[in-house]
Amino acid sequence: MIKPFIYLGDAKHIKAIDVQEIILLKAQRSYCNVIMHNGDSFMCSKPLGIIAKELPENLFIRIGQSNIVNRNHIRQIDKSQKKLCLTGDHKINYPMRTCELLALLGIVVSEAETACRET
């Protein structure tokens, strides 16, 4: 069962956040920028690694050291640019090989399609 809410705070407030509405979490030193589906974003006073432990593993994937993405908000994988295109025109680079990214997402396709031979 997916935990429906997490609680994230800044200097003034603690917000109950619907995890389904989170598009992206981006590390900003010891803070985290939370980008929401409705277009809002806010800076949270928790580091990304701490927030990662509170998120449902089946819904979120960590992309490198600085980003956690809600898999339901991935709209396209740009293999040539090595970018994930997300809801709301957000784009982030992915540092791994495309076949590794697809494995994280649980997508099984032929080796030729995944460009696993990329260097």
Side-chain angles (χ1 to χ4, degrees):
M1 181 173 163
I2 293 176
K3 185 174 19 172
F5 291 94
I6 60 170
Y7 294 91
L8 300 176
D10 58 20
K12 295 183 180 183
H13 305 96
I14 296 175
K15 300 177 182 187
I17 305 295
D18 182 342
V19 295
Q20 300 283 347
E21 295 297 312
I22 298 171
I23 295 174
L24 172 66
L25 298 114
K26 297 177 71 84
Q28 306 265 314
R29 298 186 185 188
S30 61
Y31 294 92
C32 183
N33 188 20
V34 181
I35 300 168
M36 304 295 294
H37 184 257
N38 65 4
D40 289 347
S41 67
F42 64 94
M43 193 66 67
C44 173
S45 56
K46 283 185 184 178
L48 188 65
I50 299 297
I51 296 172
K53 294 175 184 174
E54 298 176 30
L55 296 170
E57 291 178 17
N58 61 336
L59 186 59
F60 290 88
I61 58 170
R62 187 137 189 187
I63 306 294
Q65 293 181 345
S66 301
N67 298 295
I68 295 177
V69 173
N70 183 331
R71 66 176 59 238
N72 292 337
H73 289 284
I74 298 172
R75 298 295 170 247
Q76 180 175 313
I77 299 170
D78 184 335
K79 296 189 302 187
S80 64
Q81 298 284 319
K82 294 190 69 132
K83 289 188 183 289
L84 282 178
C85 303
L86 308 170
T87 302
D89 293 328
H90 298 283
K91 295 180 182 179
I92 62 164
N93 294 325
Y94 61 90
M96 70 268 300
R97 295 178 1 186
T98 301
C99 60
E100 293 167 344
L101 173 64
L102 294 175
L104 269 177
L105 292 169
I107 299 171
V108 179
V109 291
S110 74
E111 187 172 315
E113 289 177 302
T114 63
C116 278
R117 296 181 199 136
E118 54 187 277
T119 57

